[in-house]
Structures are given as structure tokens and as C-alpha cells.
Amino acid sequence: MTGIRTAAQAKAWLEHQGKSVQEFAREHGIDPATTYQVLSGRKKGKRGEAHKVAVLLGMKDGIIVPRTMHPTESKDDVLA
């Protein structure tokens, strides 16, 4: 990536690909509402799913760490 995108650039990037926010969210297994909130600036993308959204949209430099299982969860719970 050549730089961090602004929210307007991220929206234009999605439009350039012909993707809706809903479609982008579905493809990445993220909550559409969180995606809209990051794009509108209501969520800053500092942690959790908002962080993941910001990184995937190119609005933030960062890594996405795979979710680890809690000792009381089964593999099926995490994959659901």
C-alpha cells in the first residue's frame, strides 16, 4: 500500500471495485454496522473489530491477529 487512506478514499476505493459496504463486510466476515461506523468516523479503529475494519480498508497501518480460542470454547464455536 502506498499510504493510509482517508475515509473518503476508502469509500472511493470500494466504489472503484463496484462493492457496497455490505458486500465488503460479508466478504471479510465483519459486521456491516462497524464498517459504516469506521467509515463515518464514529469508531476510530483502535481495537477489536473496528481495528480489523480500518486495516482491511487501508485506513490504518496494522496487523490482524487471528482470534484465539478461549479454553471453554470448541473449534466449532470459533468457526461459527
Side-chain angles (χ1 to χ4, degrees):
M1 185 178 337
T2 58
I4 303 299
R5 292 184 180 113
T6 64
Q9 289 169 330
K11 290 176 191 176
W13 176 70
L14 287 173
E15 188 176 317
H16 181 73
Q17 296 179 69
K19 289 185 185 177
S20 68
V21 172
Q22 294 278 339
E23 185 178 0
F24 176 82
R26 243 188 333 272
E27 287 176 2
H28 293 285
I30 52 180
D31 180 41
T34 302
T35 307
Y36 281 113
Q37 291 168 346
V38 169
L39 284 168
S40 72
R42 284 186 304 246
K43 288 197 175 187
K44 305 298 179 204
K46 290 187 177 188
R47 61 190 67 83
E49 188 167 32
H51 167 82
K52 182 178 179 179
V53 169
V55 172
L56 289 170
L57 288 170
M59 295 174 64
K60 177 181 180 181
D61 184 32
I63 60 169
I64 300 169
V65 179
R67 182 170 175 255
T68 57
M69 277 193 325
H70 188 273
T72 61
E73 290 180 313
S74 72
K75 217 178 204 181
D76 292 335
D77 294 334
V78 173
L79 296 176

